[in-house]
Amino acid sequence: MGKENFVEQIADINQDFPQWYTDVVIKTGLVDYGPVKGTMVIRPYGYAIWENIQKELDKRFKRTGHKNAYFPLLIPMNFFTKEAEHVEGFAPEVAVVTHAGGEELAEPLAIRPTSETIFGSMYSKWIQSYRDLPVLINQWANVMRWEKTTRPFLRTSEFLWQEGHTAHATEKEALKETKKMLNVYKEFAENCLAIPVITGRKTEKEKFAGAVATFGMEAMMKDGKSLQAGTSHYLGQNFAKAFDIKFLDKDGVQKYVYTSSWGVSTRLIGALIMAHGDERGLILPPVVAPVQVVIVPIAQKKPGVLEECKKIKRALKNAKVRVELDDTDSTPGWKYNEWEMKGVPLRIELGPRDIEAGKALIFRRDTQEKVEYSLDNLAKSVKQLLKTVQQDMLKSARVRRDNRITYAQDIQDILYGVENGKFVKAGWCGCRECEDRVKAETAATARVYAEGEQSETCAVCGRKAEHTVIFARAY
Amino acid sequence: MGKENFVEQIADINQDFPQWYTDVVIKTGLVDYGPVKGTMVIRPYGYAIWENIQKELDKRFKRTGHKNAYFPLLIPMNFFTKEAEHVEGFAPEVAVVTHAGGEELAEPLAIRPTSETIFGSMYSKWIQSYRDLPVLINQWANVMRWEKTTRPFLRTSEFLWQEGHTAHATEKEALKETKKMLNVYKEFAENCLAIPVITGRKTEKEKFAGAVATFGMEAMMKDGKSLQAGTSHYLGQNFAKAFDIKFLDKDGVQKYVYTSSWGVSTRLIGALIMAHGDERGLILPPVVAPVQVVIVPIAQKKPGVLEECKKIKRALKNAKVRVELDDTDSTPGWKYNEWEMKGVPLRIELGPRDIEAGKALIFRRDTQEKVEYSLDNLAKSVKQLLKTVQQDMLKSARVRRDNRITYAQDIQDILYGVENGKFVKAGWCGCRECEDRVKAETAATARVYAEGEQSETCAVCGRKAEHTVIFARAY
């Protein structure tokens, strides 16, 4: 392989987006395929993104009063049958342990696809009185859903996620929690991932199996398709009744609790890649980038160059910038390509002439601009620039997305919109037949209700519209 | 339940240590039993300890050049057969997935009991040249080993751990890594958990299935039994040959790599409980305590008391102390009992008279001392005192342990020692028969070699001693 032109190994983003995605995730070392079909190995560069995501989210969960815990991986199969919709939704995807310790088990055990049931069984034990409420617990865990078609980060049999499970005395409080966590996700997606998201309620067809209502956040990928980046479910008393989670209220009456659950997963890494990447590879927002700044020395064998680079590296480290100095033997051009493919937000180029002039060139991955900065106070400039990049990435993603939202009056409009990579808003009567027809004729699904918007008529049947829905093809 | 005397609910630590342990882990809310036999739910108070352990260890792993990654939970069964000793050691404990997605699998899949095999399979793909070495990867994960007899934290079918897996060009480097990580564990155990540990090589019988040599760290519990708190394995080329992990060396020759692996688990929480706890419950060292300081107001309805308590809480929070203010309706006495049982290192007692005098009483959980401190600069005093408690806990644990190490000349001595809750050092000829006889006659096992000590004769057979071994009954 010729080192100078290795960027050509990535498929053209405009010609073959799926192949571009696969090339990028594998060639930047984010992920590799595991030995079992449908599994992935999250390599250090990919896992470092997940660690940054975890750190930011965990801070937010704790700030909103949640505590972490860890519940078992294995769930008795009969737990799933206790909530009728839940078993229907998850049973077909479950992986089952039938043997352990050299013996066949008396009852087969499911590897958790999600943990409402096992949280429910413990909550029924722990919750006795109104004084025990609310219970606000989150867990970081692996889950497993056996899928026919898999793609790294987007859909794999095993993935990492967090799942919050809360119990409350009243419907009002549980619903408030459901929406609060949706907003936590939205704020995080925008400020940390630089991905603008549309949040809203999902249709009955698209809701979580066992929920009363599911709220989702949808992000537009560069091909115009939508990616469900997180969900928050209001579960009403469905799981409380299935698992007998009751409390003695202040008025002396035994009541069922109201529960919520909410989660985001390593899918977010897929969202990052497809929301920001370009023909050269990844573009990572500084808040979650494993490496925020790479220093590339020019003519590195000339006296003083590496010393100055190391000095800058130390200064950036002290300023808590995640920085790498690439002093390998490759040419600067090869290094540029490699670190651009890896999506590092800023590159500092420094050669003998720069040092003499007391300047450094800084290249921005997001805008491809090169700007000269004084070596004095470089760490401060870099920190400021990282903030700017973070904000600008959100702004441009928002402009890109807003330019690709359209309105449809009929099903032809919807088809035309999604064929052109757009999110399409359209009136919907609320009936399942019309929703299914959209799917059948356009391959688009109802993503979320467009909140606060009112359409006159259903784009499918022409009857009175109950909701305005955002339709899109989705991952 | 009478609130005032609930401490009596814990079994007497001197009469029934196992029951004391069970009472403490359940009643302090560290853990609960999961619905599947042998599983545990780590509750928020227990998980917060694990989070503190993770934070401290992860910092140390990264400082020593390791990166985190995530490998799949499911491993093809045939991977285990590739390393002969490994399969013998782990196959009997494996949980097996035979069905998934509604179908029977063509090949059964093991839930990882440990991940040498799957790391090996990926390393053989990633490692080509000496330039790719060393590979220094760690993962935080759940693992499963089906056990007949289980106890929360100490032995459960599923547990949480970290497992480091490294690959090196030379034997020397791999061995150096193995010992380096053992020392990282030791420093962590002593400075963060306040547990003095004895590190050393394990006998062939006690080594990890598939290792060339296993090094362990052993901690003394309050009943005099030993708990294996961490292990570091030098794997030689065993897994490199089983998984064909080869690299092209500088000299142009294809060679097998040398690998190491090392791990600690949620067992460490069990170690904390049993190394420090007393008749009143837990005693947690400040570095890993979820709550470092609890403020208990006296006569809290008197004007000004709660306000002053809140002021102190804010000051401590700002000083990054993990602090709780207990302003519930219970009596101070009840609160004292509860927070003592939970092992909170410091309690600040504050009533109207204290406020007037500008003082607060601080109670140390570890020494049961109460000392008066000025309210001026209280946060600073508290931070200093937390450091003192941390150091003193290690010191007293060391004294306790050192007083319970003895030497044996013969097998009767060994029996006498372990019956009296001691670690017993004895000469050993190195043969399996003598090791087995000690086990059969004393229920003690060889924990580690006592490094740098030389005995004359084997305590069992009287032949020349090859090693001095520390024998103890163990968890």
Side-chain angles (χ1 to χ4, degrees):
Chain A
M1 114 182 149
K3 278 196 171 181
E4 292 302 333
N5 57 2
F6 82 130
V7 169
E8 290 167 30
Q9 293 171 58
I10 303 177
D12 186 329
I13 190 172
N14 299 308
Q15 299 290 320
D16 190 348
F17 193 77
Q19 188 59 46
W20 170 87
Y21 178 81
T22 304
D23 288 349
V24 166
V25 295
I26 298 294
K27 286 173 183 165
T28 58
L30 289 177
V31 79
D32 202 348
Y33 299 104
V36 175
K37 198 175 162 289
T39 64
M40 63 174 168
V41 178
I42 308 179
R43 300 184 69 172
Y45 196 61
Y47 198 80
I49 298 176
W50 184 239
E51 288 182 303
N52 292 332
I53 289 174
Q54 285 189 301
K55 199 178 113 197
E56 290 293 336
L57 278 173
D58 203 67
K59 199 162 69 183
R60 285 163 172 82
F61 297 158
K62 285 178 175 150
R63 211 184 279 147
T64 44
H66 302 86
K67 290 184 173 178
N68 289 330
Y70 185 77
F71 284 64
L73 176 76
L74 297 182
I75 303 179
M77 282 298 275
N78 73 61
F79 276 25
F80 286 91
T81 59
K82 296 191 183 193
E83 212 292 326
E85 283 188 14
H86 196 62
V87 67
E88 207 182 304
F90 284 102
E93 294 183 351
V94 158
V96 187
V97 176
T98 55
H99 293 70
E103 288 172 14
E104 185 166 359
L105 298 172
E107 187 191 13
L109 301 171
I111 297 184
R112 62 179 162 229
T114 179
S115 301
E116 279 74 12
T117 59
I118 198 161
F119 273 78
S121 78
M122 299 310 294
Y123 282 8
S124 81
K125 191 172 163 189
W126 298 340
I127 296 169
Q128 305 295 332
S129 142
Y130 69 91
R131 282 190 213 88
D132 300 324
L133 296 172
V135 176
L136 307 172
I137 296 182
N138 173 64
Q139 82 172 353
W140 292 95
N142 53 342
V143 284
M144 190 162 287
R145 298 178 186 177
W146 217 258
E147 304 269 6
K148 292 255 179 293
T149 318
T150 58
R151 303 188 66 194
F153 296 122
L154 302 178
R155 203 173 291 279
T156 47
S157 56
E158 183 189 7
F159 55 91
L160 303 181
W161 81 344
Q162 61 66 219
E163 48 181 326
H165 294 273
T166 69
H168 307 264
T170 65
E171 173 173 19
K172 193 180 158 191
E173 202 186 296
L175 206 46
K176 195 177 155 193
E177 165 83 9
T178 309
K179 288 177 180 171
K180 182 204 273 178
M181 298 321 290
L182 185 73
N183 284 329
V184 165
Y185 287 155
K186 184 186 170 86
E187 182 274 322
F188 161 79
E190 301 191 339
N191 294 330
C192 299
L193 307 182
I195 300 177
V197 290
I198 298 173
T199 53
R201 187 169 169 177
K202 299 229 153 212
T203 64
E204 282 298 296
K205 181 182 174 180
E206 300 289 335
K207 79 173 190 198
F208 176 78
V212 171
T214 287
F215 300 83
M217 66 173 181
E218 299 286 322
M220 185 185 275
M221 304 294 99
K222 280 224 167 155
D223 61 353
K225 284 169 77 174
S226 187
L227 184 141
Q228 177 175 294
T231 46
S232 189
H233 315 295
Y234 169 62
L235 305 171
Q237 295 181 318
N238 292 353
F239 287 89
K241 286 179 179 163
F243 288 91
D244 201 35
I245 319 173
K246 275 188 287 202
F247 69 104
L248 191 67
D249 206 352
K250 284 177 189 167
D251 58 11
V253 179
Q254 286 278 347
K255 296 174 187 171
Y256 287 110
V257 300
Y258 295 81
T259 66
S260 91
S261 68
W262 29 273
V264 299
S265 74
T266 36
R267 253 200 146 194
L268 289 175
I269 300 175
L272 269 179
I273 299 163
M274 294 195 292
H276 299 302
D278 69 6
E279 65 285 355
R280 306 176 75 79
L282 297 173
I283 303 181
L284 295 174
V287 171
V288 295
V291 180
Q292 296 173 311
V293 177
V294 61
I295 305 169
V296 176
I298 313 295
Q300 65 184 30
K301 285 183 178 144
K302 290 266 168 73
V305 173
L306 273 182
E307 287 69 13
E308 187 63 30
C309 288
K310 283 178 187 163
K311 218 173 96 187
I312 293 171
K313 185 182 171 185
R314 268 196 306 277
L316 289 175
K317 273 215 154 154
N318 289 340
K320 299 202 184 293
V321 172
R322 297 188 289 270
V323 56
E324 293 277 351
L325 164 60
D326 186 349
D327 57 1
T328 58
D329 288 338
S330 312
T331 65
W334 192 84
K335 292 176 186 176
Y336 293 178
N337 284 342
E338 186 184 27
W339 293 104
E340 285 180 31
M341 183 168 80
K342 287 190 152 234
V344 174
L346 297 180
R347 175 175 75 231
I348 299 178
E349 304 170 11
L350 197 80
R353 261 174 285 171
D354 304 300
I355 295 168
E356 211 176 305
K359 310 249 180 203
L361 271 180
I362 302 188
F363 170 81
R364 275 178 67 166
R365 177 67 180 92
D366 64 325
T367 56
Q368 315 274 347
E369 293 166 326
K370 264 189 197 182
V371 181
E372 224 174 54
Y373 282 84
S374 164
L375 290 180
D376 301 334
N377 265 321
L378 190 63
K380 206 178 151 195
S381 312
V382 163
K383 287 204 83 148
Q384 186 51 53
L385 193 52
L386 286 170
K387 272 192 196 152
T388 307
V389 168
Q390 183 75 31
Q391 288 160 1
D392 287 357
M393 282 184 69
L394 176 60
K395 273 187 222 156
S396 15
R398 201 186 292 281
V399 168
R400 262 197 312 276
R401 184 201 59 189
D402 290 350
N403 284 336
R404 293 171 87 169
I405 298 179
T406 180
Y407 288 83
Q409 296 301 329
D410 57 34
I411 204 161
Q412 290 312 313
D413 273 6
I414 298 177
L415 179 63
Y416 183 81
V418 299
E419 292 255 299
N420 286 284
K422 291 188 173 165
F423 280 13
V424 182
K425 289 182 180 174
W428 176 52
C429 62
C431 84
R432 179 68 180 261
E433 288 68 31
C434 288
E435 191 178 0
D436 286 344
R437 230 188 103 196
V438 172
K439 174 95 189 272
E441 295 187 19
T442 71
T445 48
R447 305 315 306 156
V448 288
Y449 294 154
E451 287 184 357
E453 298 197 31
Q454 193 47 56
S455 301
E456 295 286 308
T457 57
C458 173
V460 184
C461 67
R463 281 178 296 184
K464 187 172 175 302
E466 285 290 322
H467 303 282
T468 301
V469 169
I470 297 172
F471 288 101
R473 291 179 180 165
Y475 280 94
Chain B
M1 115 185 152
K3 279 195 169 182
E4 291 303 334
N5 57 3
F6 82 131
V7 169
E8 291 169 28
Q9 293 171 56
I10 304 176
D12 186 328
I13 190 171
N14 299 308
Q15 299 291 319
D16 190 348
F17 194 77
Q19 188 60 46
W20 169 86
Y21 178 81
T22 304
D23 287 349
V24 165
V25 295
I26 298 293
K27 286 174 183 166
T28 57
L30 289 176
V31 78
D32 203 348
Y33 299 104
V36 175
K37 198 175 163 289
T39 63
M40 64 175 165
V41 178
I42 308 179
R43 299 185 69 172
Y45 195 61
Y47 198 81
I49 298 177
W50 184 239
E51 286 182 304
N52 292 332
I53 289 174
Q54 284 189 302
K55 200 179 112 195
E56 290 294 336
L57 278 173
D58 202 66
K59 198 161 72 183
R60 286 165 172 79
F61 297 158
K62 283 177 177 153
R63 212 184 278 147
T64 44
H66 302 85
K67 290 185 174 180
N68 289 331
Y70 186 77
F71 284 63
L73 175 76
L74 297 182
I75 302 179
M77 282 298 276
N78 73 60
F79 277 25
F80 286 91
T81 60
K82 296 191 182 190
E83 212 291 327
E85 283 188 15
H86 195 62
V87 68
E88 206 181 306
F90 285 101
E93 294 184 352
V94 158
V96 187
V97 177
T98 56
H99 293 71
E103 288 170 12
E104 185 166 358
L105 298 172
E107 188 191 11
L109 302 171
I111 296 184
R112 63 180 163 228
T114 180
S115 302
E116 280 74 11
T117 59
I118 198 161
F119 273 78
S121 78
M122 298 311 295
Y123 282 8
S124 80
K125 191 174 163 187
W126 297 341
I127 296 168
Q128 306 295 333
S129 142
Y130 68 91
R131 282 189 214 89
D132 301 324
L133 295 171
V135 175
L136 307 172
I137 296 182
N138 173 64
Q139 82 171 355
W140 293 95
N142 54 342
V143 284
M144 190 161 287
R145 298 177 186 178
W146 217 258
E147 305 269 5
K148 292 254 180 295
T149 318
T150 58
R151 303 189 65 194
F153 297 123
L154 302 177
R155 202 173 291 278
T156 48
S157 57
E158 182 189 7
F159 55 91
L160 302 182
W161 80 344
Q162 60 67 219
E163 47 182 326
H165 294 273
T166 70
H168 307 264
T170 65
E171 173 173 18
K172 192 178 161 194
E173 201 186 297
L175 207 44
K176 193 176 157 196
E177 165 82 10
T178 309
K179 290 179 178 168
K180 181 203 275 178
M181 298 321 289
L182 185 72
N183 285 329
V184 166
Y185 288 155
K186 184 185 171 84
E187 182 274 321
F188 160 80
E190 301 192 339
N191 293 330
C192 299
L193 306 182
I195 300 177
V197 290
I198 297 174
T199 55
R201 186 169 170 176
K202 299 229 154 213
T203 64
E204 281 298 296
K205 181 183 175 180
E206 300 289 335
K207 80 172 188 198
F208 175 78
V212 172
T214 287
F215 301 84
M217 67 172 180
E218 298 287 322
M220 185 185 276
M221 303 295 98
K222 280 221 166 156
D223 60 354
K225 283 169 78 173
S226 187
L227 184 141
Q228 178 175 295
T231 46
S232 188
H233 314 295
Y234 169 63
L235 305 171
Q237 294 181 317
N238 291 354
F239 286 89
K241 285 180 179 163
F243 289 90
D244 201 36
I245 318 174
K246 277 189 286 205
F247 69 102
L248 191 67
D249 206 351
K250 283 178 190 165
D251 57 12
V253 178
Q254 287 278 347
K255 297 173 186 171
Y256 287 109
V257 300
Y258 296 82
T259 65
S260 90
S261 68
W262 29 274
V264 298
S265 74
T266 36
R267 255 202 145 194
L268 289 176
I269 300 174
L272 269 179
I273 298 163
M274 293 195 294
H276 299 301
D278 69 6
E279 66 285 356
R280 308 177 72 78
L282 298 172
I283 302 181
L284 295 174
V287 171
V288 295
V291 180
Q292 296 173 312
V293 177
V294 62
I295 305 169
V296 176
I298 314 296
Q300 66 185 29
K301 282 180 182 148
K302 289 266 168 75
V305 173
L306 274 182
E307 287 70 13
E308 187 62 30
C309 288
K310 283 178 189 164
K311 220 173 96 185
I312 293 172
K313 185 182 171 184
R314 269 196 306 277
L316 289 175
K317 273 214 153 156
N318 289 340
K320 297 202 185 291
V321 173
R322 297 188 288 272
V323 57
E324 292 276 350
L325 165 59
D326 187 348
D327 58 0
T328 57
D329 288 337
S330 313
T331 65
W334 192 84
K335 292 177 186 174
Y336 293 177
N337 283 343
E338 186 185 27
W339 293 105
E340 284 179 33
M341 182 169 79
K342 288 192 152 227
V344 174
L346 298 181
R347 175 176 75 232
I348 300 178
E349 303 170 12
L350 198 79
R353 262 174 285 172
D354 305 300
I355 296 169
E356 212 177 305
K359 309 248 180 205
L361 271 180
I362 302 187
F363 171 80
R364 275 178 67 166
R365 177 67 180 91
D366 63 325
T367 56
Q368 316 274 348
E369 293 166 325
K370 263 189 199 183
V371 181
E372 222 173 54
Y373 282 85
S374 164
L375 290 180
D376 300 336
N377 265 322
L378 190 63
K380 206 179 151 193
S381 312
V382 164
K383 288 203 81 147
Q384 186 51 53
L385 192 52
L386 286 170
K387 271 191 197 152
T388 306
V389 168
Q390 183 77 31
Q391 288 160 1
D392 287 357
M393 282 183 70
L394 175 62
K395 271 185 224 158
S396 15
R398 202 186 291 280
V399 169
R400 263 198 311 277
R401 185 200 59 189
D402 290 349
N403 284 337
R404 294 172 85 168
I405 297 179
T406 179
Y407 288 83
Q409 296 300 331
D410 57 35
I411 204 160
Q412 290 311 313
D413 273 5
I414 298 178
L415 179 63
Y416 182 81
V418 299
E419 292 254 300
N420 287 284
K422 291 188 173 165
F423 280 12
V424 183
K425 290 183 180 173
W428 175 52
C429 62
C431 85
R432 179 67 181 262
E433 288 70 29
C434 288
E435 191 179 0
D436 286 344
R437 228 186 106 195
V438 172
K439 174 93 189 273
E441 297 186 18
T442 71
T445 49
R447 304 315 305 155
V448 289
Y449 295 153
E451 287 183 357
E453 299 196 32
Q454 193 47 57
S455 301
E456 295 286 306
T457 57
C458 174
V460 185
C461 67
R463 281 178 297 185
K464 185 173 177 301
E466 286 290 323
H467 303 282
T468 301
V469 169
I470 298 173
F471 288 101
R473 291 179 180 165
Y475 280 94

